[in-house]
Structure formats: structure tokens, C-alpha cells
Amino acid sequence: MSDLEDQSEIRLTAAEMAVLWSQYINDTSVICANSHFLEKTTDPEVRSIVEFTLSTAKSNIEFLQGFFKNEDFPIPFGFTEKDVLPEAPKLFSDTFVLMYLRQMSILAMAASSAALGLATREDVVAFHKKVLQAAVKLQDLTRRLMLKQGTYIRPPFISTPDKVDFVEKQQFLNGFFGKKRALTVVEITHLFMNIQTNAIGKALITGFGQIAKSEEVKQYLKRGKQIAQKHMDIFGGLLIKEDLPAPMSWDAAVMDSTSSIFSDKLIMFLTSAMIAAGVGNYGMGMAASPRKDLGFQYASLIPEIALYAEDGANIMIKNGWMEEPPQADDKDQLMDS
């Protein structure tokens, strides 16, 4: 324990600042969202998972506040009780909340794994190990309950190969002319995952669009809904051509509430987080898809959502909703002062 205490003598790296700052902002948003979910979830099994998620985020915030004070590091503002009205009418079904929490656990596992690869100080490493363990537990809890309830959507099944093959011709890479080869399991996986994340994102921003106050935000979310549906259709069409099933949409999971629940600031942040995850998923899909038509398809869609993300950032900047991450010193400016 003394080794961890002595770590305060070691300066934080830029990477450690980045992952800790991001974790704080994200956990404050998690507390807001799950405060509402906890208030409105009626299924006791889903409710217990919401409670776990909420208590984990609060525990992280408590640790980080003490950590930042000890480091004389400004505590980020993040989100507060002013960004949520927990007792407002229910916006999403319990089934969707469960699916959303599962998706959040996937993003949390990826973020904390990356943080562990970047962190140097033992106390920062220990913290992110704890975050990763909680994310894995959340994934286990949500997956098991969805399997039990029959709401878990498995990726497509294909026949087990009867032998090992190696690529012998460049035709393996073709996708525009002549006969296309069948999709590989890796390509199927990425198509499936990207349909699923778009379906979740579409349902999420549909609900947000119902409760947003600003007309500008409403129109932005409406545009996002159209983009998500377009991408689902493209990826789904690629699976259907191979006689493979595409994941279902979650549109029916959104209630008819139009009452204010989340602030427009929180809505834009949560939407931006989903967009950022989508850009990353498309990049991985493109890198893992040797068939040229698939790579081209991902490459053509990334600029569309990157532009959408930029427009969202402009809305947040315009309204003073985007908190700045820590920045390096501007040496030229310091010399001129």
C-alpha cells in the first residue's frame, strides 16, 4: 500500500491525465443516466444491474475527486444533478436499458484496456484494473440476464469449416467485379456489430429527440436517426445477400414521453460518445475486411459520420457545453506574455 502512496511523487503523464479526466466526465454522465433508469425501471433483475452500474460510477467519482485533490489537478465539471430529472416519465423500456448497459460495458472494457496500456504509475494502473473488472462484471450481468430473458441477439451461425485453407489468389480481395467470395467470419462479425450499434444509437437518439428542448438539437438528432437507419440498411443488405440474418432494430423500446429528463448538454454528450464509438468501429471493420467492396463501403461512410460528429461539436461549443481536456503549454504564447 505504501508503494501506491509514494506514487504521488511521480508526475502524471499526458496519457494518464487523459484517461483519468475522461473517466471522470464519463462517470458523471453515467450517474445522471442511471439515476433516471433506477427511478423508472420496474424489472427487479434489471434494476439490480442499474444499481450496480450506478454504485460503480459513484465509487469511481469518489476515488477520482480525492486523487485530483491530492495531485492539485482541477476537478472536471462533468455533469451534475441539474442535468437529469430522475422522476420524469419513463423514456426507454427495461429491455432497452439492459441492452444499452451491455453496450456501455463493451465501450468501458475497451477504454479501460487502452488506459492500462498507457498508464505508468501503479496507482493509476490499479484504478483502471478496478474499472476493467467492473466493466467485465457488467458485461457478464447483462449478457446472462438477456440470455435468460430471451432478448440476447447472437451473431449469425455458419457451418464449421472442415479443413484449413490459405489464400492462393488475389481474387480473395475482389469485391467490385466478377464473382465475390463469401464473407469471412471476421467480416460478418464487424457487419453484425455495426448494425447492432447503429440500432442502439438510433433508438437512443430517437428518445433524446423527443425530450430535447432546443430545436437545433432536435434537428441534429433527427438527422442522426436518418444516418443510423441508412447505415443499418447498407450493412444489413450485405448480410442478407449472404443469406445471413441481420440484428433487429430497437425502435419499439422508446416510450412516447416528451417530458424533459436529460439536459440538452447531456444529450449531446451521450450522442457524441456513441458517434465516436461508431467511427472507431468502422475503422476496425475497414481494417479487418480484405474484400475491397467492404473496405470501400466503410471508407465512404466514415466521412459522413465524422462530419455529423463535427456538427455536433459545433453545437456543443456554441452553447458552452464542451469541456476542454487538459492541454500542453503553448510555449510561443508564454514567450510572448
Side-chain angles (χ1 to χ4, degrees):
M1 188 68 181
S2 59
D3 289 341
L4 294 186
E5 291 171 356
D6 293 339
Q7 293 294 305
S8 60
E9 298 300 318
I10 304 172
R11 291 178 62 191
L12 291 170
T13 66
E16 288 165 341
M17 287 185 187
V19 295
L20 293 169
W21 183 88
S22 299
Q23 187 69 45
Y24 189 93
I25 299 290
N26 287 329
D27 275 322
T28 58
S29 74
V30 168
I31 290 171
C32 288
N34 282 275
S35 295
H36 173 69
F37 295 157
L38 185 64
E39 185 74 25
K40 293 301 169 183
T41 299
T42 54
D43 185 317
E45 291 180 297
V46 177
R47 185 179 176 82
S48 69
I49 296 177
V50 173
E51 288 174 339
F52 168 77
T53 307
L54 190 55
S55 66
T56 299
K58 287 181 176 179
S59 175
N60 290 346
I61 290 297
E62 184 179 355
F63 169 83
L64 288 169
Q65 285 178 340
F67 184 94
F68 288 144
K69 286 178 182 176
N70 192 50
E71 295 290 327
D72 293 323
F73 187 102
I75 297 176
F77 190 81
F79 299 92
T80 69
E81 64 276 0
K82 293 182 180 179
D83 291 298
V84 61
L85 193 63
E87 64 274 15
K90 189 171 186 171
L91 183 60
F92 299 108
S93 71
D94 291 359
T95 303
F96 180 78
V97 168
L98 189 59
M99 182 63 185
Y100 176 72
L101 291 180
R102 179 175 174 269
Q103 185 64 27
M104 291 303 100
S105 76
I106 294 170
L107 298 181
M109 287 189 293
S112 51
S113 295
L116 286 170
L118 293 166
T120 308
R121 272 177 46 167
E122 288 297 327
D123 52 353
V124 180
V125 170
F127 171 68
H128 281 289
K129 282 182 178 178
K130 180 184 172 186
V131 173
L132 178 58
Q133 289 168 356
V136 171
K137 183 175 180 180
L138 178 58
Q139 171 66 198
D140 288 342
L141 290 171
T142 53
R143 182 183 61 252
R144 287 168 185 163
L145 183 53
M146 291 181 75
L147 285 168
K148 176 183 174 183
Q149 295 182 343
T151 56
Y152 186 89
I153 305 169
R154 296 176 187 268
F157 292 97
I158 67 166
S159 301
T160 303
D162 51 16
K163 66 181 190 312
V164 174
D165 280 327
F166 288 87
V167 177
E168 295 178 353
K169 297 180 181 178
Q170 284 189 314
Q171 187 178 359
F172 182 81
L173 307 176
N174 288 349
F176 294 111
F177 307 106
K179 181 175 173 57
K180 298 177 184 178
R181 63 159 171 80
L183 294 170
T184 67
V185 289
V186 179
E187 291 165 342
I188 293 169
T189 300
H190 283 281
L191 289 171
F192 175 87
M193 179 177 66
N194 284 311
I195 298 169
Q196 193 168 60
T197 52
N198 271 292
I200 295 168
K202 181 189 172 191
L204 190 72
I205 60 179
T206 297
F208 287 165
Q210 293 175 189
I211 64 171
K213 303 179 192 71
S214 162
E215 185 59 32
E216 184 178 31
V217 172
K218 282 182 176 289
Q219 291 304 316
Y220 178 76
L221 295 170
K222 188 177 291 185
R223 178 177 152 210
K225 178 183 175 183
Q226 293 167 347
I227 291 173
Q229 184 60 62
K230 170 188 167 183
H231 292 200
M232 287 168 62
D233 291 342
I234 290 171
F235 296 139
L238 289 165
L239 288 180
I240 291 168
K241 283 180 182 177
E242 304 276 341
D243 297 317
L244 295 168
M248 69 178 191
S249 72
W250 286 90
D251 296 3
V254 184
M255 307 290 103
D256 60 0
S257 174
T258 57
S259 300
S260 177
I261 300 172
F262 305 124
S263 68
D264 285 0
K265 174 187 171 184
L266 179 58
I267 286 172
M268 289 299 298
F269 175 82
L270 294 174
T271 302
S272 296
M274 290 294 292
I275 297 167
V279 173
N281 289 342
Y282 284 15
M284 288 191 296
M286 181 167 62
S289 302
R291 218 174 79 176
K292 290 181 181 177
D293 60 324
L294 298 181
F296 178 81
Q297 192 70 78
Y298 283 118
S300 67
L301 296 178
I302 288 174
E304 182 176 25
I305 54 173
L307 178 61
Y308 182 64
E310 182 182 352
D311 291 343
N314 287 331
I315 292 174
M316 295 173 76
I317 292 168
K318 174 182 163 185
N319 288 280
W321 296 335
M322 182 178 284
E323 193 166 344
E324 280 191 14
Q327 297 178 14
D329 295 330
D330 187 330
K331 301 300 184 183
D332 289 338
Q333 186 180 45
L334 290 173
M335 291 176 68
D336 293 336
S337 61

